[in-house]
């Protein structure tokens, strides 16, 4: 491991980084791991259940559930890219991570966060067409178009995040190789560089405001039109039934964007905030959406709920 020495800065990259976990709460790592492990287990079981049900149930082979399957895959990758290493820190004090492995983790983490945002936009578009123009839903959202949207979401995430990694690999790390975080978060890593990192800082902020900002604007516009269509329905029962199809999506959106934006902005503007609180929030936001999404959609979506009940009833019988 290469760290700052008494002679001066080493201008090459460290072979490994040291992840501290949650700084200041090291004594409680074992206790913190219990809810983390529980949430991760629920996320794995829930999202695999969603994928299994959508694959097995022929009636669910339609755009809404294809997008839900994309969301489940994204959540699985998002949580699995960070949680196993975090748990190894909490349980076995295994803090070392290879430099290339750290950048790989950083890439998958941020790539799939951007992808998840894009999937929520696609799901909002699907709900907009289904409610505002239901007669043309099947002709507009065809399977080839759904596949193209999924490919565009994946390419957008991969291409936007790639400059993060290229810049992070380019910086010289000579101050220390200790990352005061539980995983290789972009800003936590590049702040260790002994160079001006305003390019990385500016680009990451641009992605946060442009990508997430534009995505949230598109979602807000879609749901404004959806609400207008709902309130124009003639009966209360029709309004309740139609709004029920959107409530699960709105809950999932709030569970994703609120902690995600809070964590991203806290790194730049929360200078006086306790480090352990910041790292704890940044760690939790990677777990809460993957855990909540299958629960929200499983409870709120009648077709998935019924298929799951039939599955367990059949097994019980």
């Amino acid at each position: 491991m290469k760290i700052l020495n008494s002679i001066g800065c080493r201008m090459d990259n460290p072979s490994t980084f040291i992840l501290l976990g949650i700084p200041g709460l090291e004594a409680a790592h074992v206790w913190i791991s219990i809810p983390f492990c529980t949430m991760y287990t629920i996320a794995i079981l829930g999202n695999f259940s969603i994928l299994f049900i959508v694959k097995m149930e022929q009636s669910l082979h339609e755009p809404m559930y294809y997008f839900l399957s994309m969301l489940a895959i994204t959540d699985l990758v998002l949580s699995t890219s960070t949680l196993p290493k975090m748990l190894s820190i909490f349980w076995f004090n295994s803090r070392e991570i290879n430099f290339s492995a750290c950048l790989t983790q950083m890439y998958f983490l941020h790539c799939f966060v951007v992808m998840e945002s894009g999937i929520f936009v696609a799901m909002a578009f699907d709900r907009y067409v289904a409610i505002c123009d239901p007669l043309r839903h099947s002709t507009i959202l065809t399977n080839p178009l759904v596949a193209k949207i999924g490919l565009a979401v994946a390419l957008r995430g991969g291409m936007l995040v790639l400059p993060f990694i290229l810049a992070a690999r380019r910086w010289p790390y000579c101050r220390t190789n200790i990352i005061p975080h539980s995983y290789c978060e972009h800003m936590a890593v590049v702040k260790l560089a002994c160079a001006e990192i305003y390019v990385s800082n500016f680009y990451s902020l641009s992605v946060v405001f442009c990508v997430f900002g534009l995505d949230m604007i598109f979602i807000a516009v879609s749901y404004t039109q959806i609400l207008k269509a709902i309130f124009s329905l003639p009966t209360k029962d029709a309004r309740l039934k139609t709004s029920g199809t959107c409530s699960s999506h709105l809950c999932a959106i709030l569970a994703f964007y609120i902690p995600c934006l809070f964590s991203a902005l806290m790194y730049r503007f929360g200078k006086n905030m306790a480090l352990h609180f910041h790292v704890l929030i940044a760690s939790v936001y990677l777990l809460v959406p993957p855990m909540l999404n299958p629960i929200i959609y499983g409870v709120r979506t009648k077709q998935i709920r019924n298929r799951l009940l039939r599955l367990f009833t059949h097994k019980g019988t």
Side-chain angles (χ1 to χ4, degrees):
M1 292 175 289
K2 305 174 180 68
I3 59 175
L4 182 65
N5 56 34
S6 58
I7 298 175
C9 281
R10 295 287 299 273
M11 296 307 290
D12 50 350
N13 291 330
S15 58
T16 58
F17 282 122
I18 304 295
L19 292 165
L20 291 185
I22 302 177
L25 297 179
E26 288 86 355
H29 272 176
V30 174
W31 295 106
I32 294 171
S33 72
I34 295 173
F36 274 44
C37 186
T38 302
M39 288 190 287
Y40 181 52
T41 303
I42 294 171
I44 293 294
L45 294 176
N47 285 293
F48 270 119
S49 297
I50 293 288
L51 291 171
F52 175 77
I53 290 169
V54 172
K55 178 177 173 58
M56 298 301 294
E57 189 67 30
Q58 193 68 29
S59 64
L60 300 183
H61 292 180
E62 54 185 64
M64 175 182 173
Y65 301 103
Y66 290 145
F67 290 134
L68 183 56
S69 298
M70 294 178 197
L71 184 66
I73 293 170
T74 302
D75 282 337
L76 285 169
V77 177
L78 190 60
S79 55
T80 302
S81 65
T82 54
L83 258 295
K85 181 59 183 178
M86 287 169 60
L87 292 176
S88 72
I89 295 171
F90 295 156
W91 289 341
F92 310 114
N93 203 32
S94 176
R95 299 169 185 268
E96 288 193 3
I97 183 169
N98 183 271
F99 180 73
S100 295
C102 185
L103 295 183
T104 302
Q105 184 189 65
M106 185 194 303
Y107 178 77
F108 276 98
L109 164 65
H110 294 286
C111 174
F112 279 84
V113 166
V114 174
M115 284 175 60
E116 183 147 345
S117 180
I119 292 168
F120 281 128
V121 173
M123 295 174 82
F125 177 65
D126 170 70
R127 290 299 84 204
Y128 166 76
V129 177
I131 292 171
C132 298
D133 197 1
L135 297 179
R136 298 179 59 207
H137 182 259
S138 59
T139 57
I140 294 174
L141 277 165
T142 59
N143 287 344
L145 180 61
V146 170
K148 289 176 183 177
I149 290 173
L151 180 61
V153 166
L155 288 175
R156 185 185 76 154
M159 292 174 65
L160 285 175
V161 173
L162 188 59
F164 285 6
I165 311 305
L166 297 177
R169 180 177 287 278
R170 174 175 167 271
W171 301 130
Y173 297 92
C174 58
R175 291 174 181 156
T176 179
N177 66 336
I178 297 173
I179 303 173
H181 214 291
S182 55
Y183 57 87
C184 291
E185 201 276 339
H186 174 247
M187 288 307 300
V189 173
V190 298
K191 279 187 174 182
L192 304 182
C194 50
E196 291 293 336
I197 59 165
Y198 61 88
V199 174
S200 289
N201 198 16
F202 176 77
Y203 183 75
S204 60
L205 269 178
S206 299
V207 170
V208 169
F209 284 112
C210 293
V211 173
F212 293 123
L214 290 174
D215 286 355
M216 286 189 288
I217 289 171
F218 187 90
I219 291 170
V221 170
S222 298
Y223 272 91
T224 300
Q225 298 302 315
I226 288 170
L227 289 173
K228 287 181 181 179
I230 289 173
F231 287 122
S232 67
L233 293 173
T235 65
K236 183 179 179 182
D237 287 343
R239 288 194 293 270
L240 288 174
K241 184 178 179 180
T242 308
S243 62
T245 63
C246 300
S247 58
S248 55
H249 188 214
L250 286 173
C251 290
I253 287 170
L254 292 174
F256 172 74
Y257 281 111
I258 291 174
C260 182
L261 289 175
F262 182 73
S263 177
L265 297 177
M266 194 163 51
Y267 239 116
R268 280 88 180 174
F269 309 113
K271 304 296 184 182
N272 298 323
M273 194 168 291
L275 182 59
H276 66 268
F277 176 75
H278 180 187
V279 175
L280 194 61
I281 293 296
S283 302
V284 166
Y285 101 79
L286 296 179
L287 277 173
V288 172
M291 177 192 70
L292 286 182
N293 287 340
I295 296 173
I296 291 169
Y297 286 105
V299 171
R300 297 292 304 174
T301 308
K302 183 179 179 181
Q303 293 93 324
I304 293 177
R305 186 172 66 246
N306 290 344
R307 184 64 176 85
L308 195 60
L309 287 173
R310 289 206 307 272
L311 182 66
F312 282 109
T313 303
H314 177 72
K315 284 187 174 182
T317 305

